Amino acid sequence: MFRSSTHAVLAAVNKPASELSSYQRKVFRVADHAGVALAGLTADGRVLSRFLRNECINHSFVYEAPLPVSRLALKLADKAQVCTQRSWKRPYGVGLLVAGLDESGAHLYYNCPSGNYFEYQAFAIGSRSQAAKTFLERRFQGYNDYTPEQLIKDALSAIKETLQGEKLSSSNCTVAIVGRKEDGTIEPFEMIGAARIQELIDSMEVAEEAPAEEASSMQEEERGPEDAAAAAPAPMDI
């Protein structure tokens, strides 16, 4: 979804295939310092996330250090590109956002099924992602200085833009965050709990309602007693 200088946030909409089914996970933990969000064929996404998880484990075992996020995105791109040049293979039908933290800071990469990959400050993929992109384009310049809570709130706001009138709640969204604490230690990649998400959504709704109430009260104050009398209904003649 987007990143600051110290944290990266991934968010996804929990969209069930039908009213009778549950949703499929779209956000996966790869290592303590990285995770992925996907859009497309979920089965392909699970295969690729398992591949990334194995790469992180192997690198950590050999070098006793976490795999840099740029190398992680490169390995994923190489694996996807091979499928485009073999007649007996098909390309992976999934796009992935790779978010993570390494010595150079927080990173966010978008990996295409073609094998191309790009680093972004903020990005959205999937159906109805254009509304989220428009929201992110208006706000991405200040993300470097955002606190983790501000990042999560903006992720929820971006998801809300894509719901097209559906009410945002903790049951229809997933948010994950990874970052570096003030003391320099890594805050592991984790899914934000439903209770915490609902608490943030409620606080956002209260903040949105407050300006509207202030505006209506100011309009009432600006209206004088004569306007109020004119607006009052006329008595009925009996």
Side-chain angles (χ1 to χ4, degrees):
M1 181 65 75
F2 46 76
R3 63 179 174 88
S4 67
S5 57
T6 58
H7 289 76
V9 172
L10 293 175
V13 178
N14 299 336
K15 185 179 179 182
S18 70
E19 295 181 358
L20 301 177
S21 68
S22 63
Y23 65 89
Q24 290 186 310
R25 287 179 57 196
K26 298 288 186 179
V27 181
F28 296 91
R29 176 185 173 277
V30 170
D32 283 344
H33 70 292
V36 297
L38 59 94
L41 298 179
T42 309
D44 286 1
R46 287 198 300 268
V47 170
L48 291 176
S49 64
R50 190 180 305 116
F51 164 77
L52 294 177
R53 195 174 296 118
N54 289 335
E55 290 295 320
C56 288
I57 292 173
N58 292 336
H59 188 278
S60 178
F61 179 77
V62 174
Y63 298 102
E64 297 183 355
L67 180 63
V69 184
S70 59
R71 292 276 301 280
L72 190 65
L74 176 61
K75 287 178 178 292
L76 178 60
D78 288 342
K79 185 174 180 63
Q81 195 276 333
V82 169
C83 295
T84 67
Q85 60 184 25
R86 298 285 189 268
S87 61
W88 60 91
K89 292 186 176 182
R90 65 165 178 83
Y92 290 104
V94 63
L96 287 96
L97 289 177
V98 181
L101 184 76
D102 54 29
E103 293 181 353
S104 59
H107 299 277
L108 177 69
Y109 289 91
Y110 169 50
N111 282 73
C112 306
S114 63
N116 291 322
Y117 70 102
F118 309 92
E119 185 171 12
Y120 285 90
Q121 179 78 38
F123 197 63
I125 58 176
S127 62
R128 295 184 290 186
S129 62
Q130 186 57 50
K133 288 180 184 177
T134 303
F135 175 84
L136 296 174
E137 287 170 358
R138 295 197 304 263
R139 303 174 64 89
F140 78 95
Q141 293 180 345
Y143 283 154
N144 273 337
D145 301 324
Y146 270 34
T147 64
E149 183 171 327
Q150 289 175 318
L151 290 173
I152 295 171
K153 285 184 176 181
D154 256 30
L156 293 172
S157 298
I159 288 178
K160 186 177 180 180
E161 294 290 324
T162 69
L163 294 180
Q164 297 182 347
E166 184 181 351
K167 183 176 176 59
L168 177 66
S169 67
S170 59
S171 62
N172 60 6
C173 65
T174 300
V175 182
I177 187 169
V178 62
R180 192 181 302 279
K181 299 179 182 178
E182 294 181 357
D183 59 2
T185 59
I186 291 180
E187 186 177 346
F189 185 90
E190 66 170 348
M191 308 289 182
I192 307 299
R196 177 58 176 160
I197 290 177
Q198 191 59 51
E199 180 182 337
L200 292 172
I201 292 173
D202 294 340
S203 66
M204 290 165 55
E205 291 177 350
V206 170
E208 290 174 358
E209 292 173 358
E213 293 178 356
E214 291 179 1
S216 61
S217 62
M218 289 178 62
Q219 289 178 357
E220 291 178 358
E221 291 176 358
E222 291 175 356
R223 292 169 58 188
E226 297 179 357
D227 295 335
M236 295 179 62
D237 295 331
I238 300 176

